[in-house]
Structures are given as C-alpha cells and as structure tokens.
Amino acid sequence: MVHAAKLAIVIDDLGYQPMPAALSALPPQISISILPDTPYDKTTSELAQRQQRDVLLHMPMEPLHRAPLEMTTLTRQMDQFTLQQTLRGSLKRVPNAIAINNHMGSALTQNPQAMGWVMEVLSEQGLFFLDSRTTARSVALRQAQQQHVPALRRHVFLDHLSNEKFVKQQLARAVQQAKKNGYAIAIGHPYPVTLDVLSRALPLLEGQGIELVRLSDLNPPF
C-alpha cells in the first residue's frame, strides 16, 4: 500500500469512565485523547500506552458560548503564569501524551496571546498540537508555526450526531478527504454507536486504498 492515503482517528473525551472494551478492541492505530483531572485519566493513559496507542491530552479551553467548564479549563482571563501552570499540571496527569488537542476552545483558540502561551509550553516539552477546529477562526496553527511547534488540524468530526447513518457518512467523508489530500484526521467520541461503526468499517479501509495510521505517523509539520 505504498500509495495508500492515510487516515488517523482520534477518540476524545476519555477519563470520566474506564476505557470501553469496544475501544480497546479497535486497532492500536486508533489514538485517544484524555481529559485531565478526571477519575480515570492516569489509568486510561497507562492502558493506552500498553496497547501501543498514541495518547493526547484533551485540554479544556474556553468556548464562546456558555457551557459547563472543566476545572482545568484555560480561559482568556488567565494571566500567562496561571495558564501555563494549569497546562503543565494537566500534562502531568497524562505524562505519556505526545500532543494536546483542545476540548471546546472556540474562544481561546481565537486568542493569539493565549495560544502563544500554550505553544511555549508545548515547545519546552517537545509536544505537538492538534487543532480540533471548533471554530474556523482558530489561530492555533499560525501560532504553532510562529513558535516552531509541530501542528496538525482535524478535518472531520465523526459523531456530533450520534446515530449510525451519520457516523458512517462522516467516516466516508474522512476517507474521501484522505484520498483527495493524501491524509485526513477524524475525531470521534467513545459513544457505543461510534465504536460499533468503526469496528465494522476499519477492516474494509485497506480495500478502499486507505491506510489507518497513528496520529504521530503523519509527521506533524512545523
């Protein structure tokens, strides 16, 4: 499959419950992203490492619209010290993370100063950034580039409607995006329907000219 297009899939929002058995049963190329300061953040991180998965920190960031916020949410009101210490503390909860991606964050990822502070921490720790793209106005990739932090962006959300037909449609979109551009990144959640669709669809990818890869296999550019 030398010429196969590459597809990376990240499952977000882990940490509040143990890793679902249906997720553990998926290929190790499926990456996971863990919310910090949750009951199962460390144990999930350790299990994923044993399963040889890429692990990300799913860092809570301030949204534009009112929503319940995680305790560790980075906000525009924080000064540099508070924001960076909050991020460093969260990374200690998921010590084998290779990257972070934003949980919510439609407000913070538009803020150049705040995202610059985030990139400083990632640079010092040798991590990369995956922009979940919760807003088209995100400046995260630009700030990463300015500070020489490797960065990638999400192309498709698999399951903002949690039903089988929609998840299948979104996965097909991700496949088409990969074929068009050479690779694509899809983000989903540990919903039973999402994991069920993936369990049935992933074995068919090779026949569609798609190689399922770990996120780190995409070699994030500077």
Side-chain angles (χ1 to χ4, degrees):
M1 292 203 308
V2 176
H3 302 294
K6 299 180 187 299
L7 175 63
I9 297 174
V10 180
I11 301 297
D12 276 352
D13 287 0
L14 292 165
Y16 275 109
Q17 305 291 334
M19 175 110 76
L23 178 50
S24 287
L26 294 179
Q29 289 86 350
I30 300 292
S31 306
I32 67 163
S33 193
I34 302 170
L35 288 160
D37 289 304
T38 49
Y40 295 92
D41 53 3
K42 287 189 174 182
T43 55
T44 301
S45 177
E46 291 163 0
L47 175 58
Q49 189 168 35
R50 291 197 299 272
Q51 294 175 350
Q52 300 183 302
R53 299 185 189 279
D54 280 353
V55 175
L56 292 80
L57 171 68
H58 197 32
M59 191 65 205
M61 299 186 186
E62 181 185 0
L64 284 168
H65 304 292
R66 290 179 64 88
L69 300 182
E70 306 289 329
M71 288 189 302
T72 53
T73 300
L74 305 181
T75 70
R76 292 171 292 180
Q77 288 70 42
M78 288 178 169
D79 59 23
Q80 180 176 2
F81 177 81
T82 304
L83 184 145
Q84 291 184 330
Q85 285 301 98
T86 302
L87 177 53
R88 289 188 186 103
S90 295
L91 283 164
K92 288 178 181 177
R93 299 289 304 185
V94 187
N96 58 336
I98 62 166
I100 75 169
N101 70 321
N102 50 296
H103 173 64
M104 300 194 290
S106 52
L108 200 83
T109 57
Q110 292 188 47
N111 187 298
Q113 183 179 62
M115 294 313 297
W117 294 341
V118 167
M119 299 308 163
E120 280 184 17
V121 174
L122 299 188
S123 179
E124 76 187 21
Q125 299 203 19
L127 305 177
F128 72 89
F129 187 80
L130 171 62
D131 189 351
S132 301
R133 291 287 290 181
T134 55
T135 171
R137 296 181 179 180
S138 172
V139 298
L141 293 188
R142 190 174 75 215
Q143 289 302 122
Q145 187 175 36
Q146 288 178 4
Q147 294 179 237
H148 305 289
V149 172
L152 293 163
R153 59 154 291 183
R154 183 271 315 164
H155 300 102
V156 175
F157 276 126
L158 293 176
D159 52 11
H160 45 273
L161 295 179
S162 188
N163 65 71
E164 182 176 348
K165 180 181 178 181
F166 185 80
V167 176
K168 285 181 175 179
Q169 287 175 346
Q170 293 300 96
L171 185 59
R173 278 189 60 202
V175 165
Q176 291 306 312
Q177 184 92 14
K179 288 180 176 179
K180 179 181 178 182
N181 297 324
Y183 80 97
I185 298 170
I187 289 180
H189 299 85
Y191 306 143
V193 64
T194 303
L195 301 178
D196 180 58
V197 169
L198 290 176
S199 72
R200 289 182 281 123
L202 295 182
L204 306 178
L205 290 180
E206 186 174 355
Q208 300 174 57
I210 298 292
E211 180 184 4
L212 183 68
V213 299
R214 291 174 176 82
L215 191 66
S216 57
D217 290 335
L218 296 178
N219 296 318
F222 285 99

